[in-house]
Amino acid sequence: MLALIPLLPFAGFLVNATLGRRLPKTVTGGLASAVMVLSFLLAVMQVWSLAAMPPESRQVNQTLFTWITAGDFSLDLALRLDALSAVMILVITGIGSLIHIYSTSYMHEETDEAFARFFSYLNLFCFFMLMLVLGSNVLVMFVGWEGVGLCSYLLIGFYYEKKSASDAAKKAFVVNRIGDFAFILGALLLVVTFNSLDFTTIALAAKEMPVEVTFGTLSLITLLMFIGATGKSAQIPLYVWLPDAMEGPTPVSALIHAATMVTAGVYMIGRNAVLFEHAPITMTIVAVVGAATALMAGTIGLVQNDIKRVLAYSTVSQLGYMFLAMGMGAFGAGIFHLMTHAFFKACLFLGSGAVIHALHGEQDIRRMGGLKKHIPITYWTFVIASVAIAGVPGLAGFFSKDEILFETFLHGSQILWGVGVLTSLLTATYMFRLVHLTFHGEERFTATAAHGHGANGPAHAHVADRHHAEEHTAHQPPAARLHDAPGPMAFALIVLAIGSVLAGYTNIPHALGGHLALGTWLEPAFQATNCGQPVTTGELAGIAIEECLPGEEGAAAEDHASLELTLMAVSSLVAFAGIGLATFLWLKRKDIPAQMATQFSGVHKLLLNKYYVDEVYDATIVQPIKMVSQEGLWRGFDVKIVDGAVNGAGYFVSGVSIVLRLLQNGSVKTYAAAIFAGAVAILAFYLWR
């Protein structure tokens, strides 16, 4: 039964990849969506059965066959469902189903071939993502890990005839391979150290090992695995692929780059929590890199003008939040934010797709405005998701962000807590800048909006939008072309907006009278045995507080509750301050941002150009490699040495043949003279020696 959860999307892929182009679009899209819905229902049934088990034995294993046997080393192709993978499969299949349903309408104007190809890729991606989270060992996880990388390449480059899309796909592929190489090295070290790749075996063995106070084997293993996570989950320095990935169709952004693939690195750390707990140096690196990524991406998001790129940098920033939590040992809080983020970020991406769809390809928020009255469903769902990500009390983002900030402060890292709070302020500000410029104020869209070109170059909207736009005349009133999200798209947006509100109530903290239900559910999966023991060094000492709080009594619990309420108040004020600041600057005093951009032109240019990271990579890595390849390997080695040797051999043979042809002229007199000369030479040799 467990294997059917990933196999159903795989079956959808096989059918649509082979027969999809010959089937009606309703059948192709319906089949792809149906297998995802069935997979979701099976996941719900499996999780329901899991919940009925005692917490200490809450695990289901299914071995399909023995995969590798070499001496005393054996590895099965096996699946495991526990508390952690249960949360992940519900997110993947649930949100994946909604995105598939949304896509049946969004991609409808594509050709039959492109429509079938899109849904086959989408189903294949879900299959690999489910294998990633259900794998009971590192190798099965890695198969899914590489599979989602492949599908990401295919989906980002879906419009491969467009150079920017193909370039973005190649960039994502190359950057992810850098991280994956480190992941492979970490897996090989696991085999050498533990003679196993099974997660349970490794965790049990790691528990018996001492916490490393210096950089040791476990630190090296976990650091290599974290480098793999920085590639997949877009953290410094391997985050550069994700903003360019917006070249793919908008549903791709919602599925891959908001709810599933980019969270694989966070899941991987949670799955190997025991290993990371015993490597405090790596934990510190994870927390610092996560905080730095969150802050950096947040500042970039303030000035971006492409609606999808604002959300892309927001994703990078929120992933940084998750890694901050994992680095602090707050694994439950990190997974909690992963879940809530999946709802509101998927809603935001799909909402942006509905906006782009309504404006026939326009993505520049400076050419929008006044859309609230024209597309109310899109507007209200987008606002709800924006309020959630801003961290306003009562919505999902508030609860998950609060847990991360609380854990960070409690573990003594006030500096990283301050970075998290500042990032939260930036998040609320740039999200409501996006809301105001897109939906409020005067209407700035014109007939040119139909051509799909924004300030950042050609629009990244799907081809159907551009084709649809051509059907409208340039003189048609802009408002006449606006239409709200059609039925399937509206359904997905509404459900995700509801999730953006309710998802947070699965993990109400003790300070608000809750019991951290999700944290308690996840605790056995992390196999945490170090409660009360320092598992990190320096300011980052401690582990996830939800693992300790249930057993606390009296003054300690009251102090923690008081502290958390105080921090909640701070984060709430920060959220409202960010919303108020955005409202003041981009709705009330719209002249101030332009003045600030002029007055601080250097900073504005720096942020607009994303700290010139791509340019630095190009100058220090891409161009030197190209120069070595072109001048050294090609012109130097290939042309001069390899081609020179081959051509030289040809010239030599040709020259020798020319000489031989002179000798072989068919004249008897010439042959007789040669024989005579040879005889004279031989005779002279013997006479003179």
Side-chain angles (χ1 to χ4, degrees):
M1 183 69 75
L2 187 60
L4 284 177
I5 296 174
L7 286 177
L8 280 170
F10 187 72
F13 156 72
L14 290 177
V15 174
N16 279 332
T18 54
L19 304 174
R21 68 188 64 187
R22 291 189 288 272
L23 297 173
K25 289 180 180 177
T26 49
V27 176
T28 301
L31 173 66
S33 302
V35 295
M36 286 304 304
V37 172
L38 286 174
S39 183
F40 171 68
L41 294 176
L42 282 176
V44 171
M45 294 170 58
Q46 288 290 306
V47 174
W48 187 270
S49 300
L50 194 72
M53 301 178 182
E56 63 275 6
S57 59
R58 199 169 277 162
Q59 185 171 305
V60 176
N61 297 283
Q62 183 176 359
T63 301
L64 302 180
F65 55 84
T66 300
W67 191 356
I68 299 173
T69 302
D72 61 346
F73 178 83
S74 179
L75 192 69
D76 296 329
L77 180 57
L79 306 178
R80 181 174 78 172
L81 181 67
D82 63 358
L84 177 57
S85 55
V87 173
M88 296 300 297
I89 64 171
L90 289 177
V91 169
I92 296 166
T93 57
I95 293 181
S97 297
L98 293 173
I99 293 171
H100 276 72
I101 294 169
Y102 176 100
S103 300
T104 58
S105 178
Y106 189 84
M107 302 295 291
H108 189 71
E109 295 185 42
E110 298 287 346
T111 64
D112 291 345
E113 185 276 333
F115 192 84
R117 178 162 55 91
F118 176 81
F119 279 100
S120 64
Y121 290 168
L122 222 56
N123 277 164
L124 184 63
F125 170 84
C126 290
F127 162 72
F128 279 122
M129 192 66 205
L130 288 167
M131 292 297 295
L132 190 157
V133 300
L134 287 173
S136 68
N137 57 67
V138 177
L139 190 57
V140 177
M141 171 188 275
F142 188 72
V143 169
W145 189 277
E146 290 298 287
V148 295
L150 168 65
C151 294
S152 175
Y153 168 79
L154 295 173
L155 287 165
I156 295 169
F158 183 76
Y159 300 118
Y160 55 84
E161 72 280 359
K162 189 169 69 170
K163 187 177 185 303
S164 57
S166 62
D167 287 346
K170 288 184 286 186
K171 186 175 184 179
F173 188 84
V174 171
V175 172
N176 273 272
R177 296 296 76 72
I178 296 171
D180 294 350
F181 180 70
F183 190 106
I184 292 171
L185 294 179
L188 292 175
L189 278 175
L190 284 174
V191 175
V192 173
T193 306
F194 300 102
N195 194 37
S196 177
L197 288 175
D198 181 75
F199 290 124
T200 301
T201 303
I202 293 171
L204 292 173
K207 283 181 182 180
E208 304 302 319
M209 302 174 69
V211 175
E212 294 184 343
V213 293
T214 59
F215 194 88
T217 302
L218 295 184
S219 297
L220 179 58
I221 291 172
T222 52
L223 182 60
L224 288 169
M225 296 178 77
F226 173 60
I227 293 173
T230 62
K232 197 67 71 184
S233 296
Q235 297 295 284
I236 293 174
L238 300 180
Y239 72 92
V240 293
W241 67 270
L242 194 146
D244 289 352
M246 300 301 107
E247 291 285 346
T250 299
V252 174
S253 303
L255 180 63
I256 297 181
H257 309 119
T260 53
M261 177 182 134
V262 292
T263 61
V266 180
Y267 168 79
M268 183 268 291
I269 293 178
R271 176 55 71 200
N272 296 281
V274 177
L275 277 178
F276 280 83
E277 283 185 338
H278 285 71
I281 295 176
T282 302
M283 293 282 278
T284 302
I285 294 172
V286 172
V288 171
V289 170
T293 304
L295 181 60
M296 180 206 65
T299 57
I300 296 174
L302 276 175
V303 300
Q304 296 300 303
N305 297 311
D306 185 299
I307 187 172
K308 289 175 65 177
R309 285 186 179 263
V310 174
L311 298 178
Y313 281 104
S314 173
T315 298
V316 176
S317 182
Q318 296 304 305
L319 288 167
Y321 254 109
M322 298 174 204
F323 278 99
L324 171 61
M326 307 312 272
M328 301 304 304
F331 303 111
I335 299 300
F336 182 30
H337 194 57
L338 182 158
M339 183 188 73
T340 60
H341 176 264
F343 281 100
F344 51 69
K345 187 52 62 70
C347 185
L348 289 168
F349 267 115
L350 296 185
S352 72
V355 171
I356 295 167
H357 196 268
L359 293 177
H360 309 290
E362 181 61 72
Q363 294 189 207
D364 190 342
I365 58 178
R366 295 170 299 180
R367 300 182 181 180
M368 298 181 183
L371 292 175
K372 174 184 176 180
K373 60 184 177 185
H374 299 292
I375 47 175
I377 295 175
T378 301
Y379 168 73
W380 285 110
T381 54
F382 199 96
V383 168
I384 291 171
S386 298
V387 173
I389 195 175
V392 172
L395 282 81
F398 165 76
F399 293 103
S400 56
K401 281 189 177 183
D402 167 71
E403 279 303 302
I404 294 173
L405 293 174
F406 174 51
E407 299 283 357
T408 303
F409 192 94
L410 191 68
H411 295 155
S413 185
Q414 283 78 25
I415 295 176
L416 294 183
W417 174 82
V419 173
V421 171
L422 178 57
T423 302
S424 184
L425 175 65
L426 293 173
T427 302
T429 304
Y430 66 65
M431 283 307 307
F432 274 84
R433 169 183 178 264
L434 180 61
V435 170
H436 293 322
L437 291 179
T438 303
F439 296 100
H440 298 149
E442 72 277 5
E443 296 179 358
R444 298 181 299 278
F445 50 88
T446 63
T448 58
H451 299 291
H453 295 279
N456 298 320
H460 309 293
H462 59 80
V463 173
D465 285 340
R466 298 195 296 270
H467 290 172
H468 187 58
E470 295 172 358
E471 301 174 1
H472 297 261
T473 65
H475 302 288
Q476 190 176 12
R481 302 193 310 273
L482 297 181
H483 50 87
D484 208 348
M489 294 169 61
F491 171 77
L493 289 172
I494 292 170
V495 174
L496 289 169
I498 294 172
S500 300
V501 177
L502 299 181
Y505 293 90
T506 60
N507 203 46
I508 300 174
H510 295 281
L512 296 178
H515 301 283
L516 287 172
L518 183 64
T520 303
W521 166 266
L522 290 170
E523 184 178 345
F526 303 134
Q527 303 182 45
T529 58
N530 297 322
C531 188
Q533 302 178 23
V535 298
T536 58
T537 59
E539 292 184 337
L540 305 181
I543 62 165
I545 190 64
E546 63 263 29
E547 298 164 3
C548 303
L549 274 178
E552 295 182 350
E553 302 291 342
E558 291 179 4
D559 289 344
H560 285 148
S562 177
L563 175 62
E564 185 164 14
L565 288 173
T566 302
L567 296 177
M568 281 183 184
V570 173
S571 61
S572 300
L573 290 174
V574 167
F576 286 120
I579 296 172
L581 180 62
T583 303
F584 177 75
L585 292 177
W586 286 283
L587 201 59
K588 303 297 184 182
R589 290 294 304 276
K590 292 177 284 186
D591 58 309
I592 295 180
Q595 294 174 5
M596 293 177 64
T598 303
Q599 186 175 355
F600 303 100
S601 58
V603 175
H604 182 264
K605 189 176 181 181
L606 180 68
L607 297 179
L608 194 61
N609 289 280
K610 301 153 290 189
Y611 294 100
Y612 296 98
V613 172
D614 283 315
E615 287 79 2
V616 170
Y617 274 149
D618 186 71
T620 59
I621 298 176
V622 178
Q623 293 305 322
I625 291 176
K626 287 178 66 175
M627 185 178 67
V628 170
S629 300
Q630 292 178 351
E631 301 299 328
L633 297 178
W634 176 37
R635 293 191 177 94
F637 182 77
D638 188 49
V639 175
K640 293 183 179 180
I641 297 177
V642 178
D643 290 350
V646 173
N647 294 333
Y651 292 141
F652 175 77
V653 172
S654 179
V656 171
S657 65
I658 291 172
V659 174
L660 293 177
R661 281 200 301 270
L662 294 175
L663 298 176
Q664 297 290 334
N665 58 8
S667 173
V668 177
K669 293 180 179 180
T670 302
Y671 300 153
I675 294 172
F676 178 75
V680 171
I682 294 171
L683 181 61
F685 173 77
Y686 283 103
L687 290 175
W688 289 348
R689 71 177 181 172

